[in-house]
Amino acid sequence: MQVEIRQMNSAKKEVALTVEAERADAAYRKYLNKSAGELSLPGFRKGKAPLSLVERTYGSRIREYFYKDFVDEVFAEAVKEHDLHYLLQPEIMDIAWEPGQEMKLTIGLETEPEINIQQLEGLRVPYKPLELKDEVERYIAELQQENATVADVEGDIAKGDEVDFEVKCALEGREAVTNYSTHIETQHEPQLAPAALGKQVGDTFTLQIPVALARYIFKEEKFPAQPAEIGASFMVNAIRRTILPRIDDEFAKDLEYDSVQKMRDEIAASLEEKNSLKNQNIKINALISKLYVDNRFDLPENTIGYITDQELERYQVKDDRWRQFYRQQILYRTRHEFINMYLMQALRKQRQAEPAETDIEQYIEREAKLSDQSVEAWKEKNKAVLEDESFKETVANYLILDLIASTCEFYEAEPEPAETALGDNKDMKGDELIS
């Protein structure tokens, strides 16, 4: 048997197998005889029909099963002989064979890409740091939310209000009725929000809503997949609005600060170290993006698609539009994880790091500070993580990246759109370190 291996890209190979005519013919005749012994044809006892008649009657099905078994056999030989490694099941791309001729097979394989990182030190890396003043304002906004009050509204519904509805719809010849509470936000319920804005308590309106939303509203009811939308009637029962306190000296004094300025100063002092740690993580994530942009490699897209679809099934989403939305989110995250994994594999080949106990303790201390916990509380909460064998590798990855980052020049600049392979980091909070 002849074996030719063609590298299609850094993550895909094609294996061309040429099987001698004698071997292919002998294997087929053996399979045909075996099949004939198990089949019954009208007018013949089981296994007694002539081979020519069996082949004429069941030839296409017999050949289909023969191909599967025989391809597995010869491919297994090629794998062993040439030490082939691959991810998913091989893809049979082409079979060309007629009795008396050589059998030619083409099989596609997805593999881990081979990566050679050209430059590790002295890189210029664009990144978007978190400004301490913005973190202070974000923290104050959280305090504002925590001290907000909720008031019933007699006027019109506005964006952000929480509204209680009585919802009705016709379902299988009867009227289904339920109560439904939601915050009016256009991005979450694009059909409901525009229809509800401006309405008052007691107002009613009808609306075509996606079946997925109907299932969510009527949790105890079952809706068919088709049609994609269903008519529903909404009556406004109550409107509640969150009232945020003004950010002034009185607000600050209620929180035991002397003034608003004192509040901002003290919060800034308390957040300074955490902000610095977040920015270090942002630098490291920006470094990973830079390394991928400068050393692009192909990904095993079929494998990534398979993993994505397997995870999607766990969501049990029936509506096609929502399935597509979730699939895109999972696909992006899975590709991101594969890029990180392969980059770290390449980096570990070029940079060795064996974490000492002090390195591990310092890493745990960082994580505890980022999550606003004591070291002891973080260890207790992450006991399973600490006991996993991969934790030491996570620390080693951080040490490698931190060492490389210490040689780089980080500058604040917006990434080029074409270069945002992993997405830019302008919305990252600095606690999403790749491990």
Side-chain angles (χ1 to χ4, degrees), residues 187-246:
Q187 65 268 36
H188 297 141
E189 296 165 337
Q191 294 86 3
L192 176 57
L197 291 173
K199 300 296 190 297
Q200 298 183 357
V201 172
D203 287 350
T204 61
F205 58 92
T206 57
L207 190 64
Q208 291 290 118
I209 60 174
V211 167
L213 178 57
R215 290 195 187 102
Y216 183 74
I217 293 174
F218 295 87
K219 291 182 170 57
E220 303 300 320
E221 303 285 358
K222 292 184 178 180
F223 289 83
Q226 297 297 329
E229 293 186 337
I230 191 167
S233 170
F234 292 79
M235 183 172 74
V236 181
N237 284 340
I239 308 169
R240 291 178 294 278
R241 185 167 299 163
T242 300
I243 310 299
L244 297 175
R246 290 172 56 87

Side-chain angles (χ1 to χ4, degrees), residues 304-314 323 327 330:
I304 290 172
Y306 174 81
I307 292 172
T308 297
D309 291 336
Q310 290 295 106
E311 184 172 346
L312 180 63
E313 288 307 311
R314 295 203 292 268
R323 281 182 65 86
R327 190 180 190 282
I330 298 169

